[in-house]
Amino acid sequence: MNEEIKNLHNKILNYNGALYGSGKCVIFRSKDGDINPPIDLLVIGEAPGYYESISGVPFVGKAGKELDKILDFLGFNYVITNVVKYRPTDEKGQDRKPTPQEVESWLPLLEEQISAYKPKLILLLGDTALKAVLKLNMSITQASKSFKTFYHKKIPTFVYFHPSYLIRNNYDWKSDIEKLKDLMKKAI
């Protein structure tokens, strides 16, 4: 990990806008435990959940196990992060979707991550990541099922359902991910 990335991670940890949410700040997880730009694939989810807020690592719960299967199938070296870096909770301490204000407050730091990590490809998981990064007025189902290559700052960007959605709906993703894999390989 280079100095630019270390400084960015410290900036994220000390971000004053992180007044909402609970648990640890969750910055990244990578296939090999480090970040050495340029990376093959940057995976961006919504926000940490309960287990992530305890461990400080993104996608370590059930959704993370499902995501690991998908990423193994894709075969790229990857880094995983979220739009929002703290677990958004409701008044009962349950997970909730980040508010538009929370997303907007974290977006500049996510953009800095994208610039520092220098991904060759981006994979957005779920509606929050789709709307935050691509600013599209399109449902996650429309975007995921379009099997289209979008672009974020000239970086080929792909969209797919959040792994928690796949689990809740017992969705068989293998044929979808095979199509995405082919699109991604053509885009590199």
Side-chain angles (χ1 to χ4, degrees):
M1 188 177 310
N2 64 34
E3 282 304 308
E4 176 189 10
I5 293 174
K6 287 179 188 175
N7 291 337
L8 174 57
H9 289 180
N10 283 329
K11 183 177 179 180
I12 292 169
L13 286 169
N14 295 306
Y15 175 54
N16 287 337
L19 302 175
Y20 13 76
S22 63
K24 292 181 179 177
C25 182
V26 179
I27 301 176
F28 84 97
R29 170 167 74 99
S30 67
K31 184 173 185 176
D32 64 7
D34 201 359
I35 301 174
N36 296 300
I39 61 170
D40 290 340
L41 177 64
L42 178 60
V43 181
I44 303 172
E46 177 179 274
Y50 174 77
Y51 294 107
E52 292 79 12
S53 71
I54 291 170
S55 69
V57 178
F59 286 94
V60 294
K62 283 183 185 178
K65 289 179 182 21
E66 195 70 11
L67 178 59
D68 287 344
K69 293 175 194 173
I70 291 169
L71 293 172
D72 286 346
F73 191 82
L74 287 172
F76 293 101
N77 196 8
Y78 60 82
V79 173
I80 305 169
T81 193
N82 285 302
V83 174
V84 173
K85 310 299 186 209
Y86 281 90
R87 176 183 175 219
T89 55
D90 63 18
E91 61 280 349
K92 295 179 182 176
Q94 300 299 307
D95 292 345
R96 63 166 171 78
K97 188 173 184 154
T99 66
Q101 295 81 11
E102 289 167 329
V103 170
E104 285 303 313
S105 74
W106 282 104
L107 203 50
L109 289 169
L110 177 64
E111 291 294 348
E112 285 189 51
Q113 282 182 287
I114 293 169
S115 294
Y117 298 172
K118 298 173 180 41
K120 296 175 188 170
L121 303 167
I122 296 173
L123 175 61
L124 305 174
L125 299 174
D127 190 60
T128 298
L130 164 67
K131 288 185 170 47
V133 176
L134 292 178
K135 309 280 192 234
L136 291 177
N137 189 18
M138 178 183 255
S139 75
I140 188 62
T141 301
Q142 290 171 315
S144 295
K145 289 303 199 172
S146 72
F147 298 104
K148 182 177 174 183
T149 304
F150 299 94
Y151 290 88
H152 178 70
K153 297 185 178 179
K154 299 182 182 179
I155 303 167
T157 302
F158 303 88
V159 180
Y160 199 61
F161 298 108
H162 193 282
S164 61
Y165 171 88
L166 301 174
I167 293 167
R168 275 194 314 274
N169 293 285
N170 199 26
Y171 191 87
D172 185 4
W173 47 260
K174 288 178 185 71
S175 65
D176 288 352
I177 297 301
E178 186 67 50
K179 291 175 190 172
L180 269 182
K181 184 178 184 176
D182 290 342
L183 284 172
M184 290 175 162
K185 288 192 178 218
K186 289 175 186 171
I188 288 188

PDB file of all heavy atoms in Angstrom, residues 110-140:
ATOM      1  N   LEU A 110     -15.246   8.514  -1.374  1.00  0.00           N
ATOM      2  CA  LEU A 110     -15.309   7.366  -2.282  1.00  0.00           C
ATOM      3  C   LEU A 110     -14.632   7.708  -3.604  1.00  0.00           C
ATOM      4  O   LEU A 110     -13.872   6.905  -4.149  1.00  0.00           O
ATOM      5  CB  LEU A 110     -16.760   6.934  -2.515  1.00  0.00           C
ATOM      6  CG  LEU A 110     -16.930   5.789  -3.511  1.00  0.00           C
ATOM      7  CD1 LEU A 110     -16.273   4.509  -3.010  1.00  0.00           C
ATOM      8  CD2 LEU A 110     -18.410   5.562  -3.808  1.00  0.00           C
ATOM      9  N   GLU A 111     -14.880   8.913  -4.106  1.00  0.00           N
ATOM     10  CA  GLU A 111     -14.231   9.339  -5.357  1.00  0.00           C
ATOM     11  C   GLU A 111     -12.708   9.376  -5.189  1.00  0.00           C
ATOM     12  O   GLU A 111     -11.972   9.020  -6.112  1.00  0.00           O
ATOM     13  CB  GLU A 111     -14.764  10.700  -5.809  1.00  0.00           C
ATOM     14  CG  GLU A 111     -16.213  10.670  -6.273  1.00  0.00           C
ATOM     15  CD  GLU A 111     -16.445   9.858  -7.538  1.00  0.00           C
ATOM     16  OE1 GLU A 111     -15.487   9.469  -8.219  1.00  0.00           O
ATOM     17  OE2 GLU A 111     -17.625   9.594  -7.838  1.00  0.00           O
ATOM     18  N   GLU A 112     -12.238   9.791  -4.023  1.00  0.00           N
ATOM     19  CA  GLU A 112     -10.786   9.771  -3.762  1.00  0.00           C
ATOM     20  C   GLU A 112     -10.267   8.337  -3.751  1.00  0.00           C
ATOM     21  O   GLU A 112      -9.161   8.074  -4.241  1.00  0.00           O
ATOM     22  CB  GLU A 112     -10.469  10.472  -2.440  1.00  0.00           C
ATOM     23  CG  GLU A 112     -10.569  11.984  -2.517  1.00  0.00           C
ATOM     24  CD  GLU A 112     -10.040  12.661  -1.267  1.00  0.00           C
ATOM     25  OE1 GLU A 112      -8.904  12.341  -0.844  1.00  0.00           O
ATOM     26  OE2 GLU A 112     -10.776  13.510  -0.713  1.00  0.00           O
ATOM     27  N   GLN A 113     -11.044   7.414  -3.187  1.00  0.00           N
ATOM     28  CA  GLN A 113     -10.631   6.002  -3.214  1.00  0.00           C
ATOM     29  C   GLN A 113     -10.507   5.515  -4.651  1.00  0.00           C
ATOM     30  O   GLN A 113      -9.528   4.848  -5.000  1.00  0.00           O
ATOM     31  CB  GLN A 113     -11.649   5.124  -2.465  1.00  0.00           C
ATOM     32  CG  GLN A 113     -11.538   5.177  -0.964  1.00  0.00           C
ATOM     33  CD  GLN A 113     -12.549   4.252  -0.330  1.00  0.00           C
ATOM     34  OE1 GLN A 113     -13.744   4.552  -0.327  1.00  0.00           O
ATOM     35  NE2 GLN A 113     -12.089   3.131   0.202  1.00  0.00           N
ATOM     36  N   ILE A 114     -11.505   5.829  -5.462  1.00  0.00           N
ATOM     37  CA  ILE A 114     -11.472   5.394  -6.863  1.00  0.00           C
ATOM     38  C   ILE A 114     -10.223   5.947  -7.549  1.00  0.00           C
ATOM     39  O   ILE A 114      -9.509   5.216  -8.246  1.00  0.00           O
ATOM     40  CB  ILE A 114     -12.763   5.827  -7.604  1.00  0.00           C
ATOM     41  CG1 ILE A 114     -13.974   5.063  -7.036  1.00  0.00           C
ATOM     42  CG2 ILE A 114     -12.633   5.597  -9.107  1.00  0.00           C
ATOM     43  CD1 ILE A 114     -15.329   5.587  -7.488  1.00  0.00           C
ATOM     44  N   SER A 115      -9.930   7.211  -7.333  1.00  0.00           N
ATOM     45  CA  SER A 115      -8.741   7.824  -7.950  1.00  0.00           C
ATOM     46  C   SER A 115      -7.446   7.185  -7.450  1.00  0.00           C
ATOM     47  O   SER A 115      -6.530   6.931  -8.231  1.00  0.00           O
ATOM     48  CB  SER A 115      -8.710   9.323  -7.661  1.00  0.00           C
ATOM     49  OG  SER A 115      -9.781   9.959  -8.300  1.00  0.00           O
ATOM     50  N   ALA A 116      -7.363   6.917  -6.157  1.00  0.00           N
ATOM     51  CA  ALA A 116      -6.140   6.361  -5.582  1.00  0.00           C
ATOM     52  C   ALA A 116      -5.935   4.891  -5.945  1.00  0.00           C
ATOM     53  O   ALA A 116      -4.813   4.456  -6.192  1.00  0.00           O
ATOM     54  CB  ALA A 116      -6.160   6.522  -4.054  1.00  0.00           C
ATOM     55  N   TYR A 117      -7.015   4.114  -5.982  1.00  0.00           N
ATOM     56  CA  TYR A 117      -6.902   2.677  -6.260  1.00  0.00           C
ATOM     57  C   TYR A 117      -6.688   2.389  -7.741  1.00  0.00           C
ATOM     58  O   TYR A 117      -6.222   1.330  -8.115  1.00  0.00           O
ATOM     59  CB  TYR A 117      -8.139   1.924  -5.783  1.00  0.00           C
ATOM     60  CG  TYR A 117      -8.432   1.969  -4.300  1.00  0.00           C
ATOM     61  CD1 TYR A 117      -9.624   1.450  -3.816  1.00  0.00           C
ATOM     62  CD2 TYR A 117      -7.563   2.531  -3.371  1.00  0.00           C
ATOM     63  CE1 TYR A 117      -9.929   1.472  -2.467  1.00  0.00           C
ATOM     64  CE2 TYR A 117      -7.866   2.570  -2.025  1.00  0.00           C
ATOM     65  CZ  TYR A 117      -9.055   2.033  -1.577  1.00  0.00           C
ATOM     66  OH  TYR A 117      -9.376   2.059  -0.246  1.00  0.00           O
ATOM     67  N   LYS A 118      -7.110   3.333  -8.596  1.00  0.00           N
ATOM     68  CA  LYS A 118      -6.940   3.197 -10.045  1.00  0.00           C
ATOM     69  C   LYS A 118      -7.485   1.868 -10.597  1.00  0.00           C
ATOM     70  O   LYS A 118      -6.767   1.096 -11.252  1.00  0.00           O
ATOM     71  CB  LYS A 118      -5.478   3.365 -10.430  1.00  0.00           C
ATOM     72  CG  LYS A 118      -4.905   4.726 -10.085  1.00  0.00           C
ATOM     73  CD  LYS A 118      -3.411   4.788 -10.334  1.00  0.00           C
ATOM     74  CE  LYS A 118      -2.772   6.106 -10.016  1.00  0.00           C
ATOM     75  NZ  LYS A 118      -3.152   6.827  -8.841  1.00  0.00           N
ATOM     76  N   PRO A 119      -8.783   1.601 -10.369  1.00  0.00           N
ATOM     77  CA  PRO A 119      -9.326   0.332 -10.863  1.00  0.00           C
ATOM     78  C   PRO A 119      -9.451   0.301 -12.377  1.00  0.00           C
ATOM     79  O   PRO A 119      -9.721   1.323 -13.005  1.00  0.00           O
ATOM     80  CB  PRO A 119     -10.716   0.274 -10.208  1.00  0.00           C
ATOM     81  CG  PRO A 119     -11.092   1.712 -10.028  1.00  0.00           C
ATOM     82  CD  PRO A 119      -9.798   2.423  -9.713  1.00  0.00           C
ATOM     83  N   LYS A 120      -9.236  -0.888 -12.930  1.00  0.00           N
ATOM     84  CA  LYS A 120      -9.467  -1.089 -14.359  1.00  0.00           C
ATOM     85  C   LYS A 120     -10.960  -1.283 -14.622  1.00  0.00           C
ATOM     86  O   LYS A 120     -11.447  -0.975 -15.703  1.00  0.00           O
ATOM     87  CB  LYS A 120      -8.698  -2.319 -14.840  1.00  0.00           C
ATOM     88  CG  LYS A 120      -7.190  -2.165 -14.719  1.00  0.00           C
ATOM     89  CD  LYS A 120      -6.492  -3.461 -15.087  1.00  0.00           C
ATOM     90  CE  LYS A 120      -5.011  -3.368 -14.767  1.00  0.00           C
ATOM     91  NZ  LYS A 120      -4.361  -4.682 -14.890  1.00  0.00           N
ATOM     92  N   LEU A 121     -11.672  -1.822 -13.607  1.00  0.00           N
ATOM     93  CA  LEU A 121     -13.110  -2.074 -13.684  1.00  0.00           C
ATOM     94  C   LEU A 121     -13.747  -1.733 -12.342  1.00  0.00           C
ATOM     95  O   LEU A 121     -13.102  -1.849 -11.294  1.00  0.00           O
ATOM     96  CB  LEU A 121     -13.400  -3.553 -13.970  1.00  0.00           C
ATOM     97  CG  LEU A 121     -12.811  -4.184 -15.215  1.00  0.00           C
ATOM     98  CD1 LEU A 121     -12.947  -5.702 -15.145  1.00  0.00           C
ATOM     99  CD2 LEU A 121     -13.500  -3.649 -16.448  1.00  0.00           C
ATOM    100  N   ILE A 122     -15.026  -1.352 -12.384  1.00  0.00           N
ATOM    101  CA  ILE A 122     -15.799  -1.119 -11.164  1.00  0.00           C
ATOM    102  C   ILE A 122     -17.049  -1.988 -11.231  1.00  0.00           C
ATOM    103  O   ILE A 122     -17.686  -2.091 -12.281  1.00  0.00           O
ATOM    104  CB  ILE A 122     -16.209   0.361 -11.021  1.00  0.00           C
ATOM    105  CG1 ILE A 122     -14.970   1.256 -10.859  1.00  0.00           C
ATOM    106  CG2 ILE A 122     -17.161   0.554  -9.832  1.00  0.00           C
ATOM    107  CD1 ILE A 122     -15.278   2.749 -10.874  1.00  0.00           C
ATOM    108  N   LEU A 123     -17.405  -2.600 -10.093  1.00  0.00           N
ATOM    109  CA  LEU A 123     -18.651  -3.350  -9.960  1.00  0.00           C
ATOM    110  C   LEU A 123     -19.450  -2.725  -8.826  1.00  0.00           C
ATOM    111  O   LEU A 123     -18.989  -2.690  -7.687  1.00  0.00           O
ATOM    112  CB  LEU A 123     -18.383  -4.830  -9.669  1.00  0.00           C
ATOM    113  CG  LEU A 123     -19.605  -5.705  -9.388  1.00  0.00           C
ATOM    114  CD1 LEU A 123     -20.557  -5.726 -10.592  1.00  0.00           C
ATOM    115  CD2 LEU A 123     -19.164  -7.126  -9.027  1.00  0.00           C
ATOM    116  N   LEU A 124     -20.624  -2.196  -9.158  1.00  0.00           N
ATOM    117  CA  LEU A 124     -21.512  -1.580  -8.176  1.00  0.00           C
ATOM    118  C   LEU A 124     -22.546  -2.604  -7.738  1.00  0.00           C
ATOM    119  O   LEU A 124     -23.217  -3.211  -8.576  1.00  0.00           O
ATOM    120  CB  LEU A 124     -22.215  -0.364  -8.781  1.00  0.00           C
ATOM    121  CG  LEU A 124     -21.292   0.705  -9.368  1.00  0.00           C
ATOM    122  CD1 LEU A 124     -22.115   1.782 -10.070  1.00  0.00           C
ATOM    123  CD2 LEU A 124     -20.414   1.313  -8.285  1.00  0.00           C
ATOM    124  N   LEU A 125     -22.688  -2.771  -6.415  1.00  0.00           N
ATOM    125  CA  LEU A 125     -23.630  -3.743  -5.882  1.00  0.00           C
ATOM    126  C   LEU A 125     -24.805  -3.036  -5.232  1.00  0.00           C
ATOM    127  O   LEU A 125     -24.652  -2.379  -4.199  1.00  0.00           O
ATOM    128  CB  LEU A 125     -22.937  -4.640  -4.851  1.00  0.00           C
ATOM    129  CG  LEU A 125     -21.763  -5.458  -5.365  1.00  0.00           C
ATOM    130  CD1 LEU A 125     -21.084  -6.192  -4.213  1.00  0.00           C
ATOM    131  CD2 LEU A 125     -22.220  -6.436  -6.433  1.00  0.00           C
ATOM    132  N   GLY A 126     -25.960  -3.130  -5.848  1.00  0.00           N
ATOM    133  CA  GLY A 126     -27.175  -2.591  -5.261  1.00  0.00           C
ATOM    134  C   GLY A 126     -27.495  -1.174  -5.686  1.00  0.00           C
ATOM    135  O   GLY A 126     -26.702  -0.472  -6.312  1.00  0.00           O
ATOM    136  N   ASP A 127     -28.700  -0.774  -5.305  1.00  0.00           N
ATOM    137  CA  ASP A 127     -29.279   0.497  -5.709  1.00  0.00           C
ATOM    138  C   ASP A 127     -28.518   1.711  -5.171  1.00  0.00           C
ATOM    139  O   ASP A 127     -28.323   2.688  -5.896  1.00  0.00           O
ATOM    140  CB  ASP A 127     -30.739   0.533  -5.231  1.00  0.00           C
ATOM    141  CG  ASP A 127     -31.505   1.687  -5.801  1.00  0.00           C
ATOM    142  OD1 ASP A 127     -31.602   1.761  -7.038  1.00  0.00           O
ATOM    143  OD2 ASP A 127     -31.985   2.522  -5.014  1.00  0.00           O
ATOM    144  N   THR A 128     -28.088   1.659  -3.921  1.00  0.00           N
ATOM    145  CA  THR A 128     -27.385   2.810  -3.340  1.00  0.00           C
ATOM    146  C   THR A 128     -26.100   3.099  -4.094  1.00  0.00           C
ATOM    147  O   THR A 128     -25.822   4.247  -4.448  1.00  0.00           O
ATOM    148  CB  THR A 128     -27.096   2.570  -1.838  1.00  0.00           C
ATOM    149  OG1 THR A 128     -28.344   2.423  -1.154  1.00  0.00           O
ATOM    150  CG2 THR A 128     -26.317   3.717  -1.233  1.00  0.00           C
ATOM    151  N   ALA A 129     -25.313   2.072  -4.370  1.00  0.00           N
ATOM    152  CA  ALA A 129     -24.055   2.259  -5.106  1.00  0.00           C
ATOM    153  C   ALA A 129     -24.339   2.727  -6.536  1.00  0.00           C
ATOM    154  O   ALA A 129     -23.651   3.612  -7.055  1.00  0.00           O
ATOM    155  CB  ALA A 129     -23.245   0.970  -5.108  1.00  0.00           C
ATOM    156  N   LEU A 130     -25.348   2.150  -7.166  1.00  0.00           N
ATOM    157  CA  LEU A 130     -25.723   2.543  -8.532  1.00  0.00           C
ATOM    158  C   LEU A 130     -26.031   4.035  -8.598  1.00  0.00           C
ATOM    159  O   LEU A 130     -25.480   4.764  -9.419  1.00  0.00           O
ATOM    160  CB  LEU A 130     -26.948   1.741  -8.988  1.00  0.00           C
ATOM    161  CG  LEU A 130     -27.701   2.257 -10.217  1.00  0.00           C
ATOM    162  CD1 LEU A 130     -26.850   2.125 -11.466  1.00  0.00           C
ATOM    163  CD2 LEU A 130     -29.016   1.510 -10.381  1.00  0.00           C
ATOM    164  N   LYS A 131     -26.904   4.494  -7.726  1.00  0.00           N
ATOM    165  CA  LYS A 131     -27.337   5.897  -7.764  1.00  0.00           C
ATOM    166  C   LYS A 131     -26.232   6.852  -7.305  1.00  0.00           C
ATOM    167  O   LYS A 131     -26.103   7.956  -7.837  1.00  0.00           O
ATOM    168  CB  LYS A 131     -28.610   6.066  -6.946  1.00  0.00           C
ATOM    169  CG  LYS A 131     -29.794   5.423  -7.673  1.00  0.00           C
ATOM    170  CD  LYS A 131     -31.103   5.650  -7.000  1.00  0.00           C
ATOM    171  CE  LYS A 131     -32.294   5.236  -7.812  1.00  0.00           C
ATOM    172  NZ  LYS A 131     -32.300   3.967  -8.443  1.00  0.00           N
ATOM    173  N   ALA A 132     -25.425   6.427  -6.340  1.00  0.00           N
ATOM    174  CA  ALA A 132     -24.349   7.292  -5.834  1.00  0.00           C
ATOM    175  C   ALA A 132     -23.267   7.512  -6.882  1.00  0.00           C
ATOM    176  O   ALA A 132     -22.818   8.636  -7.091  1.00  0.00           O
ATOM    177  CB  ALA A 132     -23.738   6.694  -4.569  1.00  0.00           C
ATOM    178  N   VAL A 133     -22.833   6.450  -7.530  1.00  0.00           N
ATOM    179  CA  VAL A 133     -21.688   6.532  -8.437  1.00  0.00           C
ATOM    180  C   VAL A 133     -22.092   6.948  -9.850  1.00  0.00           C
ATOM    181  O   VAL A 133     -21.463   7.822 -10.443  1.00  0.00           O
ATOM    182  CB  VAL A 133     -20.903   5.203  -8.450  1.00  0.00           C
ATOM    183  CG1 VAL A 133     -19.777   5.239  -9.458  1.00  0.00           C
ATOM    184  CG2 VAL A 133     -20.365   4.896  -7.049  1.00  0.00           C
ATOM    185  N   LEU A 134     -23.135   6.339 -10.386  1.00  0.00           N
ATOM    186  CA  LEU A 134     -23.504   6.619 -11.778  1.00  0.00           C
ATOM    187  C   LEU A 134     -24.587   7.679 -11.922  1.00  0.00           C
ATOM    188  O   LEU A 134     -24.818   8.169 -13.036  1.00  0.00           O
ATOM    189  CB  LEU A 134     -23.952   5.329 -12.479  1.00  0.00           C
ATOM    190  CG  LEU A 134     -22.863   4.288 -12.697  1.00  0.00           C
ATOM    191  CD1 LEU A 134     -23.444   3.048 -13.358  1.00  0.00           C
ATOM    192  CD2 LEU A 134     -21.714   4.842 -13.521  1.00  0.00           C
ATOM    193  N   LYS A 135     -25.272   7.992 -10.838  1.00  0.00           N
ATOM    194  CA  LYS A 135     -26.332   9.028 -10.864  1.00  0.00           C
ATOM    195  C   LYS A 135     -27.410   8.699 -11.892  1.00  0.00           C
ATOM    196  O   LYS A 135     -27.958   9.589 -12.533  1.00  0.00           O
ATOM    197  CB  LYS A 135     -25.757  10.420 -11.152  1.00  0.00           C
ATOM    198  CG  LYS A 135     -24.591  10.832 -10.293  1.00  0.00           C
ATOM    199  CD  LYS A 135     -25.046  11.313  -8.961  1.00  0.00           C
ATOM    200  CE  LYS A 135     -23.915  11.986  -8.212  1.00  0.00           C
ATOM    201  NZ  LYS A 135     -23.679  11.458  -6.914  1.00  0.00           N
ATOM    202  N   LEU A 136     -27.710   7.419 -12.056  1.00  0.00           N
ATOM    203  CA  LEU A 136     -28.714   7.003 -13.025  1.00  0.00           C
ATOM    204  C   LEU A 136     -30.087   6.907 -12.390  1.00  0.00           C
ATOM    205  O   LEU A 136     -30.227   6.434 -11.271  1.00  0.00           O
ATOM    206  CB  LEU A 136     -28.355   5.631 -13.611  1.00  0.00           C
ATOM    207  CG  LEU A 136     -27.150   5.565 -14.517  1.00  0.00           C
ATOM    208  CD1 LEU A 136     -26.904   4.122 -14.943  1.00  0.00           C
ATOM    209  CD2 LEU A 136     -27.336   6.442 -15.731  1.00  0.00           C
ATOM    210  N   ASN A 137     -31.084   7.330 -13.130  1.00  0.00           N
ATOM    211  CA  ASN A 137     -32.461   7.178 -12.694  1.00  0.00           C
ATOM    212  C   ASN A 137     -32.982   5.868 -13.280  1.00  0.00           C
ATOM    213  O   ASN A 137     -33.782   5.848 -14.209  1.00  0.00           O
ATOM    214  CB  ASN A 137     -33.306   8.372 -13.153  1.00  0.00           C
ATOM    215  CG  ASN A 137     -34.676   8.348 -12.536  1.00  0.00           C
ATOM    216  OD1 ASN A 137     -34.905   7.663 -11.546  1.00  0.00           O
ATOM    217  ND2 ASN A 137     -35.592   9.084 -13.125  1.00  0.00           N
ATOM    218  N   MET A 138     -32.464   4.785 -12.748  1.00  0.00           N
ATOM    219  CA  MET A 138     -32.741   3.448 -13.268  1.00  0.00           C
ATOM    220  C   MET A 138     -32.797   2.516 -12.066  1.00  0.00           C
ATOM    221  O   MET A 138     -32.018   2.671 -11.129  1.00  0.00           O
ATOM    222  CB  MET A 138     -31.585   3.084 -14.210  1.00  0.00           C
ATOM    223  CG  MET A 138     -31.627   1.733 -14.827  1.00  0.00           C
ATOM    224  SD  MET A 138     -30.126   1.474 -15.845  1.00  0.00           S
ATOM    225  CE  MET A 138     -30.808   1.660 -17.462  1.00  0.00           C
ATOM    226  N   SER A 139     -33.696   1.559 -12.081  1.00  0.00           N
ATOM    227  CA  SER A 139     -33.765   0.622 -10.957  1.00  0.00           C
ATOM    228  C   SER A 139     -32.576  -0.339 -11.025  1.00  0.00           C
ATOM    229  O   SER A 139     -31.987  -0.555 -12.092  1.00  0.00           O
ATOM    230  CB  SER A 139     -35.075  -0.163 -10.990  1.00  0.00           C
ATOM    231  OG  SER A 139     -35.029  -1.151 -11.994  1.00  0.00           O
ATOM    232  N   ILE A 140     -32.272  -0.935  -9.886  1.00  0.00           N
ATOM    233  CA  ILE A 140     -31.167  -1.898  -9.840  1.00  0.00           C
ATOM    234  C   ILE A 140     -31.491  -3.100 -10.740  1.00  0.00           C
ATOM    235  O   ILE A 140     -30.600  -3.654 -11.388  1.00  0.00           O
ATOM    236  CB  ILE A 140     -30.841  -2.326  -8.390  1.00  0.00           C
ATOM    237  CG1 ILE A 140     -29.572  -3.166  -8.343  1.00  0.00           C
ATOM    238  CG2 ILE A 140     -31.993  -3.051  -7.731  1.00  0.00           C
ATOM    239  CD1 ILE A 140     -28.326  -2.460  -8.808  1.00  0.00           C
TER     240      ILE A 140
END
